[in-house]
Amino acid sequence: MAWKIFLFILLAFVSVAGVAFPIVPVPHTWYEFPLIPGLKENAKIIFFHVPTAWLSVVAFLMSTIYSFRYLKNKNLDDDAKSYAAAQLGIIFTVLATVTGAVWAKFAWGSFWSWDPRQTSIFALLLIYGAWFALRSSIESEEKKATLSAVYSIIAFLTVPFFVFIMPRIMLGLHPGAEEIDPSKGRIVQSSSPVVDFKMNANMQLIFFLSLIGFTILYFWMWQLGYKSILYKDRINKHSIRD
Amino acid sequence: MNTKAYALYKKDFNSELRTRYAVNSLAMFIIVAISVILFSIGNEKISQSLTGGLFWVVIFFSAMSGLSRVFVSEEERGTSLALHLVAAPSTIFSGKLLFNVILVFCMNIIIAFLYSMLFEAFIIRNFSLFAVSFILGNIGLAVASTIIAAIISKAGAKGTLYPVLSFPILLPLILTSVQLTLLANQGAGFGDAKFELAIVFCYDVIILTGSYMLFDFVWKD
C-alpha cells in the first residue's frame, strides 16, 4: 500500500512540476527551467511525451519476451501476460503518437512529417493493430497464443531496422537527429533548437522522476491487467464445469 | 532433405501448371494495378521518385494477392496433415519458399519490364545496382510473405489478414528498396548505395533465420 501512496505523490508532483514550473532565461533556483530559443513552453512536452513513447516500446519488448516464454513452456499464463502488455502498449503508443502530433503542429508546423521516429511509431501502431487482428481471428486458445507469439517475435525482428537504421536513411527532427550541412554537403549533427535539445540538471531531475513514475504505473497496470485475464479464464472454466 | 524440398516444390509447380490459379490471378492483378495507375496519371508528367514508389506499391499488393496460396491451398484442400507425415517442418518451409521465390521473381521481372515500357520517367540508369537490389529485395519479400502465409493459413479471415500482417514486417524492406530503386534510376554507383544494400542484405538474413526457427511452432498444431 505504501508504494501506491508513493506513486501517487510522485506522479502528482511530476504532473504539477512538468506543467507549472516556470521557464526563465537564467535559472537560479531548482524549480526554474532554462529558456530554449525557438521552443519556449513547448519544451515541457518532454516530461510526458517521452515516457509514453518509452513505455510503448517497453510494452512491446515485454510482450515479445512473454511470447518467447510461451513458445518455450506452453503455459497460457505467459500468453495472458503478453496480451496484457500489448493492451497497455497500444494505449501508450496512441498516446505518444497523439501528443507528438499535436505538439509537432505547434513546434514544427505540421501534424506529421515522416521523421524516422514518427515512421517507427507508426510501424509500431501497425504491428499492434495487426497483432490484435490476428488474435481476434483465431478461435482456439492454444493456437491463438502460438500464432500471435510467433508473429510478435517476427515483428520484433524488424525493430533494429527502425531504431538504428531508419534515422540514418531519413533525416530527422527529433533530438539527436542528423542533417545535411548545406555549406559542406555532408551529414552533420543538426543545430536546430529541437534537435540540439539539451536538458539542464533541473529538467533532468523532473524528466527522470516522470520516467520512473510512469514506468511504475505501467507495471502496476500490467499486473492488474494480466491478473484480471487469468481470473476471467478461471471463472469461465469454473462455469463450464458446473 | 533437399531432394524432398525440391519434390515439394515440383508438386506445387505441377498443381500450379494444372490449375494456373496463382499465375492467372497475379497476371490480371498486375495489369489492373498498373492500368489504374496509368489512368490516374493521365497526361501528367510524374517524377522519378514517384515512379520508384509506385513500382513497389504494385509489387507489394501483387505479392499480397498471390503469395499466400502456398499454405492456404494446403489448408483449404485439407492436405496439410499429409504433408505433416511426409516431411519435417523445415523441409516443408524450404519447398514452399522455393516456390514463392520463383513466383516473386517471375512476377517482379514482368512488373519491372512493364514499368520500363509504360512509364517514361522509369529509366534504369545503373542496371547492375538495380539488379542486385532487385534480387535482394525479392528474396526478402518472398521469405517474409512465406512465413506470414504460414501464420494466416491457420487463422480465419485469411484474405484480409494477409496484407495487414505483412505490411509492418515488410516496411523496412520496402522503404529501403524504394530508396535503392530511386538510386538505380538516378544512375548512382554502388558506393552511394552500399549502406542501403547492407540493410536489405541484413533484413534477408534476419528474416530467413527467424522464419526457419519459428516455422516449427506454426506448423505443429
Side-chain angles (χ1 to χ4, degrees):
Chain A
M1 192 60 207
W3 65 271
K4 286 178 191 166
I5 297 169
F6 167 73
L7 179 64
F8 175 75
I9 294 169
L10 183 64
L11 281 177
F13 170 71
V14 163
S15 313
V16 171
V19 175
F21 279 10
I23 286 185
V24 293
V26 185
H28 290 293
T29 48
W30 67 274
Y31 55 81
E32 286 173 336
F33 296 143
L35 179 80
I36 295 155
L39 272 184
K40 303 194 185 81
E41 296 282 329
N42 287 344
K44 286 174 174 175
I45 185 148
I46 195 162
F47 304 122
F48 307 103
H49 172 69
V50 177
T52 53
W54 153 253
L55 286 178
S56 63
V57 177
V58 166
F60 186 46
L61 179 67
M62 278 183 60
S63 173
T64 311
I65 289 171
Y66 281 105
S67 297
F68 201 79
R69 283 183 55 171
Y70 174 77
L71 288 182
K72 216 172 139 210
N73 305 326
K74 298 282 175 186
N75 180 357
L76 275 175
D77 289 3
D78 286 329
D79 181 58
K81 287 175 186 172
S82 165
Y83 183 56
Q87 275 180 327
L88 285 174
I90 196 166
I91 296 172
F92 281 111
T93 313
V94 170
L95 277 176
T97 314
V98 171
T99 52
V102 171
W103 182 84
K105 179 72 185 164
F106 294 100
W108 300 339
S110 68
F111 285 112
W112 205 261
S113 37
W114 295 112
D115 154 279
R117 305 263 165 112
Q118 285 180 327
T119 313
S120 316
I121 200 111
F122 177 67
L124 194 57
L125 211 53
L126 287 179
I127 289 171
Y128 277 128
W131 197 76
F132 285 111
L134 176 66
R135 283 187 77 92
S136 61
S137 75
I138 308 168
E139 296 280 319
S140 136
E141 288 289 323
E142 279 82 17
K143 221 178 196 181
K144 182 192 284 186
T146 311
L147 292 182
S148 59
V150 169
Y151 185 72
S152 95
I153 293 171
I154 294 176
F156 192 76
L157 293 179
T158 64
V159 166
F161 293 95
F162 289 111
V163 175
F164 301 111
I165 293 167
M166 285 304 143
R168 297 212 183 183
I169 6 182
M170 306 175 190
L171 298 174
L173 301 161
H174 273 86
E178 291 163 328
E179 68 173 14
I180 292 175
D181 187 350
S183 59
K184 293 178 198 134
R186 282 191 294 123
I187 291 176
V188 292
Q189 188 69 38
S190 175
S191 56
S192 77
V194 188
V195 178
D196 203 25
F197 186 75
K198 296 246 173 11
M199 288 186 280
N200 77 342
N202 311 341
M203 288 183 97
Q204 267 174 2
L205 176 74
I206 306 290
F207 172 71
F208 283 110
L209 283 180
S210 167
L211 211 55
I212 293 166
F214 276 101
T215 309
I216 299 173
L217 181 71
Y218 162 79
F219 276 98
W220 186 21
M221 286 165 83
W222 171 70
Q223 211 176 21
L224 287 178
Y226 86 72
K227 275 184 183 163
S228 78
I229 296 172
L230 292 185
Y231 287 137
K232 206 164 73 187
D233 282 355
R234 213 167 291 166
I235 290 169
N236 279 344
K237 276 185 192 133
H238 205 73
S239 58
I240 290 167
R241 212 174 294 144
D242 289 342
Chain B
M1 177 197 153
N2 285 334
T3 47
K4 264 191 177 176
Y6 182 71
L8 207 65
Y9 158 73
K10 275 292 267 199
K11 173 210 123 228
D12 276 344
F13 185 74
N14 283 336
S15 87
E16 184 56 48
L17 273 189
R18 211 167 291 157
T19 59
R20 290 190 205 87
Y21 185 96
V23 172
N24 277 344
S25 58
L26 260 180
M28 285 317 292
F29 191 92
I30 293 168
I31 292 168
V32 168
I34 292 183
S35 50
V36 167
I37 291 174
L38 284 174
F39 285 140
S40 61
I41 292 170
N43 291 326
E44 307 252 341
K45 278 229 176 287
I46 59 168
S47 68
Q48 211 164 37
S49 55
L50 197 57
T51 46
L54 288 174
F55 179 63
W56 280 92
V57 168
V58 173
I59 288 180
F60 174 74
F61 282 104
S62 313
M64 290 306 101
S65 74
L67 295 187
S68 65
R69 282 299 299 167
V70 280
F71 283 109
V72 172
S73 65
E74 300 287 351
E75 294 291 327
E76 277 173 358
R77 287 181 291 190
T79 46
S80 62
L81 280 177
L83 276 185
H84 270 284
L85 291 175
V86 295
S90 58
T91 315
I92 291 169
F93 190 72
S94 308
K96 300 290 185 187
L97 181 61
L98 184 63
F99 182 78
N100 262 357
V101 166
I102 288 171
L103 194 61
V104 165
F105 268 95
C106 296
M107 171 187 104
N108 288 0
I109 287 168
I110 292 170
I111 295 176
F113 183 67
L114 284 176
Y115 252 74
S116 36
M117 279 203 317
L118 295 170
F119 291 88
E120 275 173 39
F122 193 84
I123 304 161
I124 301 163
R125 291 200 172 79
N126 185 345
F127 188 76
S128 49
L129 176 63
F130 181 80
V132 171
S133 61
F134 189 72
I135 290 167
L136 288 175
N138 285 354
I139 292 171
L141 181 67
V143 177
S145 7
T146 310
I147 185 74
I148 303 290
I151 293 176
I152 60 135
S153 71
K154 306 275 179 191
K158 300 173 175 58
T160 42
L161 214 50
Y162 193 43
V164 170
L165 290 191
S166 303
F167 184 67
I169 309 294
L170 286 172
L171 195 57
L173 180 78
I174 291 177
L175 286 176
T176 325
S177 296
V178 168
Q179 204 91 358
L180 275 172
T181 310
L182 182 63
L183 284 172
N185 286 358
Q186 285 168 343
F190 274 95
D192 298 322
K194 60 175 189 287
F195 191 71
E196 278 84 0
L197 284 173
I199 295 171
V200 179
F201 182 72
C202 290
Y203 180 89
D204 289 1
V205 172
I206 290 174
I207 288 289
L208 190 66
T209 322
S211 305
Y212 267 101
M213 286 167 80
L214 292 166
F215 183 71
D216 283 18
F217 296 106
V218 181
W219 189 241
K220 281 185 215 146
D221 274 326

